[in-house]
mmCIF file of all heavy atoms in Angstrom:
data_model
loop_
_atom_site.group_PDB
_atom_site.id
_atom_site.type_symbol
_atom_site.label_atom_id
_atom_site.label_comp_id
_atom_site.label_asym_id
_atom_site.label_seq_id
_atom_site.Cartn_x
_atom_site.Cartn_y
_atom_site.Cartn_z
ATOM 1 N N MET F 193 71.211 20.788 -29.680
ATOM 2 C CA MET F 193 70.196 20.638 -30.709
ATOM 3 C C MET F 193 69.725 19.188 -30.747
ATOM 4 O O MET F 193 70.520 18.276 -30.567
ATOM 5 C CB MET F 193 70.733 21.009 -32.078
ATOM 6 C CG MET F 193 71.009 22.462 -32.281
ATOM 7 S SD MET F 193 71.524 22.712 -33.985
ATOM 8 C CE MET F 193 70.561 24.118 -34.390
ATOM 9 N N THR F 194 68.514 19.040 -31.042
ATOM 10 C CA THR F 194 67.976 17.690 -31.143
ATOM 11 C C THR F 194 68.254 17.118 -32.533
ATOM 12 O O THR F 194 68.627 17.841 -33.460
ATOM 13 C CB THR F 194 66.463 17.690 -30.895
ATOM 14 O OG1 THR F 194 65.831 18.405 -31.954
ATOM 15 C CG2 THR F 194 66.122 18.328 -29.559
ATOM 16 N N THR F 195 68.053 15.840 -32.659
ATOM 17 C CA THR F 195 68.273 15.170 -33.935
ATOM 18 C C THR F 195 67.357 15.735 -35.008
ATOM 19 O O THR F 195 67.774 15.949 -36.152
ATOM 20 C CB THR F 195 68.024 13.655 -33.780
ATOM 21 O OG1 THR F 195 68.883 13.165 -32.751
ATOM 22 C CG2 THR F 195 68.305 12.925 -35.063
ATOM 23 N N HIS F 196 66.119 16.035 -34.625
ATOM 24 C CA HIS F 196 65.173 16.587 -35.603
ATOM 25 C C HIS F 196 65.605 17.967 -36.088
ATOM 26 O O HIS F 196 65.468 18.295 -37.265
ATOM 27 C CB HIS F 196 63.767 16.659 -35.010
ATOM 28 C CG HIS F 196 63.101 15.340 -34.932
ATOM 29 N ND1 HIS F 196 63.231 14.509 -33.836
ATOM 30 C CD2 HIS F 196 62.320 14.682 -35.814
ATOM 31 C CE1 HIS F 196 62.550 13.414 -34.045
ATOM 32 N NE2 HIS F 196 61.987 13.485 -35.253
ATOM 33 N N ALA F 197 66.114 18.757 -35.170
ATOM 34 C CA ALA F 197 66.571 20.092 -35.556
ATOM 35 C C ALA F 197 67.772 20.000 -36.491
ATOM 36 O O ALA F 197 67.865 20.736 -37.480
ATOM 37 C CB ALA F 197 66.912 20.909 -34.325
ATOM 38 N N LEU F 198 68.695 19.093 -36.187
ATOM 39 C CA LEU F 198 69.864 18.927 -37.058
ATOM 40 C C LEU F 198 69.452 18.390 -38.419
ATOM 41 O O LEU F 198 69.986 18.822 -39.451
ATOM 42 C CB LEU F 198 70.878 17.991 -36.405
ATOM 43 C CG LEU F 198 71.653 18.573 -35.229
ATOM 44 C CD1 LEU F 198 72.505 17.484 -34.580
ATOM 45 C CD2 LEU F 198 72.526 19.727 -35.669
ATOM 46 N N ALA F 199 68.515 17.452 -38.433
ATOM 47 C CA ALA F 199 68.040 16.925 -39.711
ATOM 48 C C ALA F 199 67.355 18.014 -40.517
ATOM 49 O O ALA F 199 67.551 18.129 -41.726
ATOM 50 C CB ALA F 199 67.088 15.759 -39.469
ATOM 51 N N GLY F 200 66.550 18.834 -39.866
ATOM 52 C CA GLY F 200 65.876 19.935 -40.552
ATOM 53 C C GLY F 200 66.871 20.936 -41.110
ATOM 54 O O GLY F 200 66.726 21.416 -42.240
ATOM 55 N N LEU F 201 67.889 21.246 -40.320
ATOM 56 C CA LEU F 201 68.927 22.176 -40.779
ATOM 57 C C LEU F 201 69.675 21.589 -41.980
ATOM 58 O O LEU F 201 69.946 22.293 -42.957
ATOM 59 C CB LEU F 201 69.902 22.481 -39.642
ATOM 60 C CG LEU F 201 71.044 23.438 -39.963
ATOM 61 C CD1 LEU F 201 70.502 24.803 -40.362
ATOM 62 C CD2 LEU F 201 71.992 23.542 -38.785
ATOM 63 N N GLY F 202 69.978 20.306 -41.913
ATOM 64 C CA GLY F 202 70.659 19.659 -43.023
ATOM 65 C C GLY F 202 69.822 19.674 -44.292
ATOM 66 O O GLY F 202 70.328 19.939 -45.380
ATOM 67 N N LEU F 203 68.545 19.384 -44.148
ATOM 68 C CA LEU F 203 67.659 19.425 -45.317
ATOM 69 C C LEU F 203 67.553 20.836 -45.877
ATOM 70 O O LEU F 203 67.532 21.028 -47.094
ATOM 71 C CB LEU F 203 66.270 18.899 -44.951
ATOM 72 C CG LEU F 203 66.174 17.388 -44.770
ATOM 73 C CD1 LEU F 203 64.792 17.027 -44.238
ATOM 74 C CD2 LEU F 203 66.443 16.682 -46.074
ATOM 75 N N PHE F 204 67.475 21.821 -44.996
ATOM 76 C CA PHE F 204 67.401 23.206 -45.442
ATOM 77 C C PHE F 204 68.656 23.595 -46.224
ATOM 78 O O PHE F 204 68.571 24.189 -47.304
ATOM 79 C CB PHE F 204 67.211 24.141 -44.242
ATOM 80 C CG PHE F 204 67.279 25.592 -44.600
ATOM 81 C CD1 PHE F 204 66.212 26.213 -45.225
ATOM 82 C CD2 PHE F 204 68.413 26.334 -44.336
ATOM 83 C CE1 PHE F 204 66.267 27.554 -45.572
ATOM 84 C CE2 PHE F 204 68.482 27.670 -44.672
ATOM 85 C CZ PHE F 204 67.407 28.280 -45.295
ATOM 86 N N LEU F 205 69.821 23.259 -45.677
ATOM 87 C CA LEU F 205 71.078 23.614 -46.354
ATOM 88 C C LEU F 205 71.241 22.849 -47.662
ATOM 89 O O LEU F 205 71.737 23.404 -48.650
ATOM 90 C CB LEU F 205 72.264 23.352 -45.426
ATOM 91 C CG LEU F 205 72.329 24.264 -44.194
ATOM 92 C CD1 LEU F 205 73.482 23.836 -43.296
ATOM 93 C CD2 LEU F 205 72.458 25.716 -44.588
ATOM 94 N N THR F 206 70.816 21.596 -47.688
ATOM 95 C CA THR F 206 70.877 20.826 -48.920
ATOM 96 C C THR F 206 69.969 21.444 -49.978
ATOM 97 O O THR F 206 70.348 21.568 -51.146
ATOM 98 C CB THR F 206 70.475 19.362 -48.661
ATOM 99 O OG1 THR F 206 71.359 18.821 -47.679
ATOM 100 C CG2 THR F 206 70.549 18.537 -49.913
ATOM 101 N N GLY F 207 68.780 21.837 -49.565
ATOM 102 C CA GLY F 207 67.853 22.480 -50.500
ATOM 103 C C GLY F 207 68.390 23.792 -51.014
ATOM 104 O O GLY F 207 68.254 24.121 -52.198
ATOM 105 N N ALA F 208 69.021 24.563 -50.133
ATOM 106 C CA ALA F 208 69.595 25.844 -50.548
ATOM 107 C C ALA F 208 70.732 25.625 -51.545
ATOM 108 O O ALA F 208 70.832 26.346 -52.549
ATOM 109 C CB ALA F 208 70.094 26.614 -49.324
ATOM 110 N N ALA F 209 71.581 24.628 -51.288
ATOM 111 C CA ALA F 209 72.686 24.346 -52.208
ATOM 112 C C ALA F 209 72.142 23.876 -53.557
ATOM 113 O O ALA F 209 72.633 24.296 -54.612
ATOM 114 C CB ALA F 209 73.611 23.288 -51.609
ATOM 115 N N PHE F 210 71.130 23.016 -53.536
ATOM 116 C CA PHE F 210 70.534 22.542 -54.784
ATOM 117 C C PHE F 210 69.924 23.702 -55.563
ATOM 118 O O PHE F 210 70.055 23.785 -56.783
ATOM 119 C CB PHE F 210 69.473 21.481 -54.489
ATOM 120 C CG PHE F 210 68.781 20.979 -55.719
ATOM 121 C CD1 PHE F 210 69.438 20.129 -56.595
ATOM 122 C CD2 PHE F 210 67.490 21.376 -56.020
ATOM 123 C CE1 PHE F 210 68.812 19.659 -57.736
ATOM 124 C CE2 PHE F 210 66.851 20.918 -57.157
ATOM 125 C CZ PHE F 210 67.513 20.061 -58.022
ATOM 126 N N SER F 211 69.279 24.616 -54.862
ATOM 127 C CA SER F 211 68.682 25.778 -55.524
ATOM 128 C C SER F 211 69.748 26.633 -56.199
ATOM 129 O O SER F 211 69.538 27.139 -57.311
ATOM 130 C CB SER F 211 67.904 26.624 -54.514
ATOM 131 O OG SER F 211 66.821 25.899 -54.010
ATOM 132 N N GLN F 212 70.890 26.788 -55.547
ATOM 133 C CA GLN F 212 71.975 27.571 -56.129
ATOM 134 C C GLN F 212 72.513 26.895 -57.391
ATOM 135 O O GLN F 212 72.741 27.544 -58.404
ATOM 136 C CB GLN F 212 73.113 27.754 -55.121
ATOM 137 C CG GLN F 212 72.784 28.725 -54.028
ATOM 138 C CD GLN F 212 72.667 30.136 -54.544
ATOM 139 O OE1 GLN F 212 73.499 30.600 -55.303
ATOM 140 N NE2 GLN F 212 71.629 30.826 -54.150
ATOM 141 N N VAL F 213 72.716 25.585 -57.324
ATOM 142 C CA VAL F 213 73.209 24.851 -58.489
ATOM 143 C C VAL F 213 72.209 24.966 -59.637
ATOM 144 O O VAL F 213 72.586 25.199 -60.791
ATOM 145 C CB VAL F 213 73.466 23.372 -58.124
ATOM 146 C CG1 VAL F 213 73.713 22.525 -59.364
ATOM 147 C CG2 VAL F 213 74.645 23.269 -57.164
ATOM 148 N N LEU F 214 70.939 24.819 -59.322
ATOM 149 C CA LEU F 214 69.903 24.932 -60.344
ATOM 150 C C LEU F 214 69.885 26.342 -60.950
ATOM 151 O O LEU F 214 69.820 26.497 -62.172
ATOM 152 C CB LEU F 214 68.544 24.596 -59.731
ATOM 153 C CG LEU F 214 67.378 24.443 -60.678
ATOM 154 C CD1 LEU F 214 67.625 23.300 -61.653
ATOM 155 C CD2 LEU F 214 66.108 24.200 -59.892
ATOM 156 N N ALA F 215 69.991 27.357 -60.116
ATOM 157 C CA ALA F 215 69.972 28.736 -60.603
ATOM 158 C C ALA F 215 71.173 29.019 -61.508
ATOM 159 O O ALA F 215 71.033 29.642 -62.568
ATOM 160 C CB ALA F 215 69.953 29.711 -59.429
ATOM 161 N N PHE F 216 72.361 28.561 -61.119
ATOM 162 C CA PHE F 216 73.543 28.786 -61.947
ATOM 163 C C PHE F 216 73.455 28.002 -63.250
ATOM 164 O O PHE F 216 73.891 28.471 -64.306
ATOM 165 C CB PHE F 216 74.827 28.422 -61.194
ATOM 166 C CG PHE F 216 75.277 29.494 -60.241
ATOM 167 C CD1 PHE F 216 75.258 29.278 -58.878
ATOM 168 C CD2 PHE F 216 75.711 30.711 -60.713
ATOM 169 C CE1 PHE F 216 75.665 30.263 -58.002
ATOM 170 C CE2 PHE F 216 76.117 31.712 -59.850
ATOM 171 C CZ PHE F 216 76.096 31.483 -58.483
ATOM 172 N N GLY F 217 72.877 26.810 -63.194
ATOM 173 C CA GLY F 217 72.696 26.026 -64.410
ATOM 174 C C GLY F 217 71.756 26.705 -65.384
ATOM 175 O O GLY F 217 72.016 26.760 -66.589
ATOM 176 N N ILE F 218 70.659 27.237 -64.872
ATOM 177 C CA ILE F 218 69.705 27.948 -65.729
ATOM 178 C C ILE F 218 70.335 29.204 -66.305
ATOM 179 O O ILE F 218 70.174 29.511 -67.487
ATOM 180 C CB ILE F 218 68.417 28.274 -64.941
ATOM 181 C CG1 ILE F 218 67.655 26.981 -64.647
ATOM 182 C CG2 ILE F 218 67.541 29.259 -65.701
ATOM 183 C CD1 ILE F 218 66.491 27.149 -63.695
ATOM 184 N N ALA F 219 71.110 29.922 -65.485
ATOM 185 C CA ALA F 219 71.775 31.135 -65.978
ATOM 186 C C ALA F 219 72.783 30.800 -67.079
ATOM 187 O O ALA F 219 72.865 31.514 -68.088
ATOM 188 C CB ALA F 219 72.468 31.853 -64.827
ATOM 189 N N ALA F 220 73.538 29.721 -66.911
ATOM 190 C CA ALA F 220 74.504 29.327 -67.931
ATOM 191 C C ALA F 220 73.792 28.913 -69.216
ATOM 192 O O ALA F 220 74.246 29.242 -70.320
ATOM 193 C CB ALA F 220 75.373 28.184 -67.422
ATOM 194 N N TRP F 221 72.680 28.191 -69.086
ATOM 195 C CA TRP F 221 71.919 27.766 -70.268
ATOM 196 C C TRP F 221 71.363 28.982 -71.014
ATOM 197 O O TRP F 221 71.441 29.058 -72.238
ATOM 198 C CB TRP F 221 70.786 26.836 -69.839
ATOM 199 C CG TRP F 221 69.901 26.430 -70.969
ATOM 200 C CD1 TRP F 221 70.167 25.508 -71.928
ATOM 201 C CD2 TRP F 221 68.603 26.974 -71.273
ATOM 202 N NE1 TRP F 221 69.107 25.421 -72.805
ATOM 203 C CE2 TRP F 221 68.137 26.313 -72.422
ATOM 204 C CE3 TRP F 221 67.799 27.932 -70.671
ATOM 205 C CZ2 TRP F 221 66.899 26.597 -72.981
ATOM 206 C CZ3 TRP F 221 66.578 28.203 -71.227
ATOM 207 C CH2 TRP F 221 66.138 27.545 -72.365
ATOM 208 N N ARG F 222 70.832 29.951 -70.267
ATOM 209 C CA ARG F 222 70.281 31.156 -70.908
ATOM 210 C C ARG F 222 71.383 31.959 -71.604
ATOM 211 O O ARG F 222 71.171 32.504 -72.693
ATOM 212 C CB ARG F 222 69.561 32.027 -69.882
ATOM 213 C CG ARG F 222 68.273 31.383 -69.384
ATOM 214 C CD ARG F 222 67.507 32.296 -68.491
ATOM 215 N NE ARG F 222 67.005 33.403 -69.306
ATOM 216 C CZ ARG F 222 66.538 34.536 -68.800
ATOM 217 N NH1 ARG F 222 66.499 34.721 -67.504
ATOM 218 N NH2 ARG F 222 66.105 35.480 -69.596
ATOM 219 N N GLU F 223 72.562 32.041 -70.980
ATOM 220 C CA GLU F 223 73.689 32.754 -71.602
ATOM 221 C C GLU F 223 74.104 32.049 -72.893
ATOM 222 O O GLU F 223 74.373 32.698 -73.902
ATOM 223 C CB GLU F 223 74.863 32.813 -70.630
ATOM 224 C CG GLU F 223 76.104 33.452 -71.185
ATOM 225 C CD GLU F 223 75.991 34.936 -71.438
ATOM 226 O OE1 GLU F 223 75.053 35.578 -70.913
ATOM 227 O OE2 GLU F 223 76.819 35.478 -72.189
ATOM 228 N N HIS F 224 74.145 30.734 -72.863
ATOM 229 C CA HIS F 224 74.487 29.963 -74.067
ATOM 230 C C HIS F 224 73.452 30.212 -75.169
ATOM 231 O O HIS F 224 73.825 30.418 -76.333
ATOM 232 C CB HIS F 224 74.569 28.475 -73.729
ATOM 233 C CG HIS F 224 74.744 27.601 -74.923
ATOM 234 N ND1 HIS F 224 75.934 27.516 -75.611
ATOM 235 C CD2 HIS F 224 73.877 26.801 -75.570
ATOM 236 C CE1 HIS F 224 75.785 26.691 -76.622
ATOM 237 N NE2 HIS F 224 74.543 26.232 -76.632
ATOM 238 N N GLN F 225 72.182 30.210 -74.820
ATOM 239 C CA GLN F 225 71.123 30.447 -75.800
ATOM 240 C C GLN F 225 71.238 31.857 -76.384
ATOM 241 O O GLN F 225 71.038 32.057 -77.578
ATOM 242 C CB GLN F 225 69.738 30.258 -75.172
ATOM 243 C CG GLN F 225 69.449 28.830 -74.758
ATOM 244 C CD GLN F 225 69.315 27.900 -75.930
ATOM 245 O OE1 GLN F 225 70.270 27.627 -76.636
ATOM 246 N NE2 GLN F 225 68.126 27.409 -76.140
ATOM 247 N N ARG F 226 71.538 32.820 -75.530
ATOM 248 C CA ARG F 226 71.678 34.207 -75.995
ATOM 249 C C ARG F 226 72.846 34.333 -76.965
ATOM 250 O O ARG F 226 72.734 34.946 -78.036
ATOM 251 C CB ARG F 226 71.882 35.144 -74.806
ATOM 252 C CG ARG F 226 71.877 36.622 -75.181
ATOM 253 C CD ARG F 226 72.128 37.502 -73.979
ATOM 254 N NE ARG F 226 73.495 37.409 -73.526
ATOM 255 C CZ ARG F 226 74.504 38.093 -74.062
ATOM 256 N NH1 ARG F 226 74.304 38.898 -75.070
ATOM 257 N NH2 ARG F 226 75.719 37.951 -73.585
ATOM 258 N N ARG F 227 73.984 33.735 -76.640
ATOM 259 C CA ARG F 227 75.142 33.788 -77.535
ATOM 260 C C ARG F 227 74.848 33.073 -78.847
ATOM 261 O O ARG F 227 75.281 33.519 -79.909
ATOM 262 C CB ARG F 227 76.362 33.163 -76.867
ATOM 263 C CG ARG F 227 76.956 34.021 -75.785
ATOM 264 C CD ARG F 227 78.206 33.375 -75.230
ATOM 265 N NE ARG F 227 78.745 34.131 -74.130
ATOM 266 C CZ ARG F 227 79.664 35.081 -74.276
ATOM 267 N NH1 ARG F 227 80.116 35.364 -75.471
ATOM 268 N NH2 ARG F 227 80.088 35.738 -73.220
ATOM 269 N N ARG F 228 74.129 31.953 -78.778
ATOM 270 C CA ARG F 228 73.787 31.228 -79.996
ATOM 271 C C ARG F 228 72.862 32.053 -80.877
ATOM 272 O O ARG F 228 73.012 32.076 -82.102
ATOM 273 C CB ARG F 228 73.138 29.892 -79.635
ATOM 274 C CG ARG F 228 73.113 28.949 -80.802
ATOM 275 C CD ARG F 228 72.737 27.574 -80.367
ATOM 276 N NE ARG F 228 71.340 27.410 -80.745
ATOM 277 C CZ ARG F 228 70.575 26.429 -80.344
ATOM 278 N NH1 ARG F 228 71.036 25.538 -79.515
ATOM 279 N NH2 ARG F 228 69.339 26.336 -80.758
ATOM 280 N N GLN F 229 71.937 32.771 -80.259
ATOM 281 C CA GLN F 229 71.031 33.618 -81.035
ATOM 282 C C GLN F 229 71.809 34.746 -81.706
ATOM 283 O O GLN F 229 71.565 35.079 -82.871
ATOM 284 C CB GLN F 229 69.938 34.181 -80.134
ATOM 285 C CG GLN F 229 68.926 35.017 -80.881
ATOM 286 C CD GLN F 229 67.865 35.589 -79.970
ATOM 287 O OE1 GLN F 229 68.047 35.669 -78.758
ATOM 288 N NE2 GLN F 229 66.761 35.992 -80.543
ATOM 289 N N ILE F 230 72.760 35.331 -81.007
ATOM 290 C CA ILE F 230 73.585 36.397 -81.578
ATOM 291 C C ILE F 230 74.401 35.848 -82.749
ATOM 292 O O ILE F 230 74.483 36.462 -83.811
ATOM 293 C CB ILE F 230 74.502 37.022 -80.509
ATOM 294 C CG1 ILE F 230 73.653 37.823 -79.518
ATOM 295 C CG2 ILE F 230 75.576 37.891 -81.142
ATOM 296 C CD1 ILE F 230 74.418 38.305 -78.303
ATOM 297 N N ASP F 231 75.005 34.651 -82.554
ATOM 298 C CA ASP F 231 75.788 34.049 -83.640
ATOM 299 C C ASP F 231 74.908 33.720 -84.838
ATOM 300 O O ASP F 231 75.332 33.872 -85.982
ATOM 301 C CB ASP F 231 76.490 32.779 -83.156
ATOM 302 C CG ASP F 231 77.679 33.076 -82.265
ATOM 303 O OD1 ASP F 231 78.095 34.248 -82.187
ATOM 304 O OD2 ASP F 231 78.193 32.131 -81.639
ATOM 305 N N ASP F 232 73.682 33.264 -84.594
ATOM 306 C CA ASP F 232 72.775 32.965 -85.701
ATOM 307 C C ASP F 232 72.391 34.227 -86.464
ATOM 308 O O ASP F 232 72.211 34.203 -87.676
ATOM 309 C CB ASP F 232 71.511 32.274 -85.194
ATOM 310 C CG ASP F 232 71.767 30.838 -84.754
ATOM 311 O OD1 ASP F 232 72.854 30.308 -85.061
ATOM 312 O OD2 ASP F 232 70.869 30.267 -84.100
ATOM 313 N N THR F 233 72.282 35.339 -85.750
ATOM 314 C CA THR F 233 71.886 36.602 -86.372
ATOM 315 C C THR F 233 73.054 37.260 -87.100
ATOM 316 O O THR F 233 72.925 37.670 -88.254
ATOM 317 C CB THR F 233 71.343 37.577 -85.307
ATOM 318 O OG1 THR F 233 70.268 36.946 -84.625
ATOM 319 C CG2 THR F 233 70.866 38.857 -85.940
ATOM 320 N N LEU F 234 74.198 37.351 -86.433
ATOM 321 C CA LEU F 234 75.334 38.096 -86.974
ATOM 322 C C LEU F 234 76.404 37.224 -87.589
ATOM 323 O O LEU F 234 77.306 37.725 -88.260
ATOM 324 C CB LEU F 234 75.976 38.928 -85.862
ATOM 325 C CG LEU F 234 75.073 39.942 -85.159
ATOM 326 C CD1 LEU F 234 75.829 40.599 -84.029
ATOM 327 C CD2 LEU F 234 74.577 40.977 -86.145
ATOM 328 N N GLY F 235 76.360 35.939 -87.339
ATOM 329 C CA GLY F 235 77.424 35.051 -87.786
ATOM 330 C C GLY F 235 78.463 34.914 -86.684
ATOM 331 O O GLY F 235 78.450 35.665 -85.707
ATOM 332 N N PRO F 236 79.372 33.976 -86.827
ATOM 333 C CA PRO F 236 80.381 33.781 -85.783
ATOM 334 C C PRO F 236 81.323 34.984 -85.712
ATOM 335 O O PRO F 236 81.491 35.708 -86.695
ATOM 336 C CB PRO F 236 81.118 32.527 -86.218
ATOM 337 C CG PRO F 236 80.833 32.386 -87.664
ATOM 338 C CD PRO F 236 79.509 33.040 -87.919
ATOM 339 N N PRO F 237 81.937 35.186 -84.548
ATOM 340 C CA PRO F 237 82.860 36.328 -84.426
ATOM 341 C C PRO F 237 84.110 36.125 -85.270
ATOM 342 O O PRO F 237 84.515 35.007 -85.571
ATOM 343 C CB PRO F 237 83.203 36.349 -82.935
ATOM 344 C CG PRO F 237 82.903 34.989 -82.436
ATOM 345 C CD PRO F 237 81.817 34.440 -83.309
ATOM 346 N N GLU F 238 84.692 37.220 -85.680
ATOM 347 C CA GLU F 238 85.931 37.181 -86.450
ATOM 348 C C GLU F 238 87.051 36.625 -85.556
ATOM 349 O O GLU F 238 87.066 36.866 -84.355
ATOM 350 C CB GLU F 238 86.310 38.592 -86.913
ATOM 351 C CG GLU F 238 85.351 39.179 -87.926
ATOM 352 C CD GLU F 238 85.410 38.446 -89.257
ATOM 353 O OE1 GLU F 238 86.509 38.049 -89.661
ATOM 354 O OE2 GLU F 238 84.352 38.263 -89.861
ATOM 355 N N PRO F 239 88.010 35.910 -86.143
ATOM 356 C CA PRO F 239 89.133 35.427 -85.332
ATOM 357 C C PRO F 239 89.982 36.587 -84.808
ATOM 358 O O PRO F 239 90.119 37.622 -85.488
ATOM 359 C CB PRO F 239 89.930 34.540 -86.273
ATOM 360 C CG PRO F 239 89.332 34.695 -87.617
ATOM 361 C CD PRO F 239 88.066 35.477 -87.498
ATOM 362 N N ASP F 240 90.525 36.404 -83.634
ATOM 363 C CA ASP F 240 91.354 37.439 -83.017
ATOM 364 C C ASP F 240 92.726 37.449 -83.717
ATOM 365 O O ASP F 240 93.439 36.433 -83.713
ATOM 366 C CB ASP F 240 91.524 37.119 -81.533
ATOM 367 C CG ASP F 240 92.253 38.216 -80.774
ATOM 368 O OD1 ASP F 240 92.532 39.277 -81.377
ATOM 369 O OD2 ASP F 240 92.528 38.013 -79.589
ATOM 370 N N PRO F 241 93.111 38.584 -84.333
ATOM 371 C CA PRO F 241 94.396 38.605 -85.059
ATOM 372 C C PRO F 241 95.600 38.448 -84.143
ATOM 373 O O PRO F 241 96.670 38.044 -84.581
ATOM 374 C CB PRO F 241 94.396 39.973 -85.748
ATOM 375 C CG PRO F 241 93.349 40.776 -85.084
ATOM 376 C CD PRO F 241 92.393 39.819 -84.435
ATOM 377 N N SER F 242 95.465 38.754 -82.863
ATOM 378 C CA SER F 242 96.606 38.620 -81.943
ATOM 379 C C SER F 242 96.731 37.205 -81.395
ATOM 380 O O SER F 242 97.665 36.919 -80.670
ATOM 381 C CB SER F 242 96.459 39.613 -80.799
ATOM 382 O OG SER F 242 95.309 39.303 -80.024
ATOM 383 N N ASP F 243 95.792 36.308 -81.738
ATOM 384 C CA ASP F 243 95.838 34.932 -81.253
ATOM 385 C C ASP F 243 96.839 34.138 -82.097
ATOM 386 O O ASP F 243 96.674 34.020 -83.303
ATOM 387 C CB ASP F 243 94.443 34.317 -81.350
ATOM 388 C CG ASP F 243 94.354 32.948 -80.715
ATOM 389 O OD1 ASP F 243 95.356 32.527 -80.077
ATOM 390 O OD2 ASP F 243 93.312 32.285 -80.848
ATOM 391 N N PRO F 244 97.873 33.565 -81.474
ATOM 392 C CA PRO F 244 98.889 32.843 -82.261
ATOM 393 C C PRO F 244 98.380 31.522 -82.829
ATOM 394 O O PRO F 244 99.021 30.947 -83.703
ATOM 395 C CB PRO F 244 100.021 32.592 -81.247
ATOM 396 C CG PRO F 244 99.343 32.629 -79.924
ATOM 397 C CD PRO F 244 98.190 33.611 -80.068
ATOM 398 N N ASN F 245 97.232 31.030 -82.392
ATOM 399 C CA ASN F 245 96.698 29.761 -82.903
ATOM 400 C C ASN F 245 95.971 29.934 -84.227
ATOM 401 O O ASN F 245 95.537 28.949 -84.809
ATOM 402 C CB ASN F 245 95.752 29.132 -81.875
ATOM 403 C CG ASN F 245 96.484 28.729 -80.620
ATOM 404 O OD1 ASN F 245 97.631 28.324 -80.668
ATOM 405 N ND2 ASN F 245 95.830 28.853 -79.494
ATOM 406 N N ASN F 246 95.826 31.146 -84.723
ATOM 407 C CA ASN F 246 95.107 31.379 -85.986
ATOM 408 C C ASN F 246 96.058 31.360 -87.139
ATOM 409 O O ASN F 246 97.086 31.750 -87.264
ATOM 410 C CB ASN F 246 94.338 32.698 -85.960
ATOM 411 C CG ASN F 246 93.125 32.577 -85.067
ATOM 412 O OD1 ASN F 246 92.617 31.485 -84.855
ATOM 413 N ND2 ASN F 246 92.676 33.682 -84.553
#
């Protein structure tokens, strides 16, 4: 492979990895927003009675 081909492959893989990180970040943010909306509507969840920290 030539240097240009390796550089192109590296840029492609870097872009793909960045896209994955961005996609997972957006998914996590949307999940957080959804849970916050549910908590705002219904209130926080009841504590788990089997949890020894309660």
Side-chain angles (χ1 to χ4, degrees):
M193 290 184 135
T194 66
T195 303
H196 285 89
L198 287 174
L201 180 61
L203 286 173
F204 174 76
L205 293 175
T206 302
F210 178 74
S211 295
Q212 287 292 314
V213 169
L214 189 61
F216 280 113
I218 291 171
W221 176 77
R222 291 186 68 195
E223 177 69 16
H224 173 73
Q225 294 292 68
R226 187 182 71 82
R227 287 183 184 268
R228 196 168 102 192
Q229 183 181 19
I230 290 171
D231 286 349
D232 288 347
T233 304
L234 301 176
E238 293 292 323
D240 186 6
S242 64
D243 187 7
N245 295 326
N246 287 335

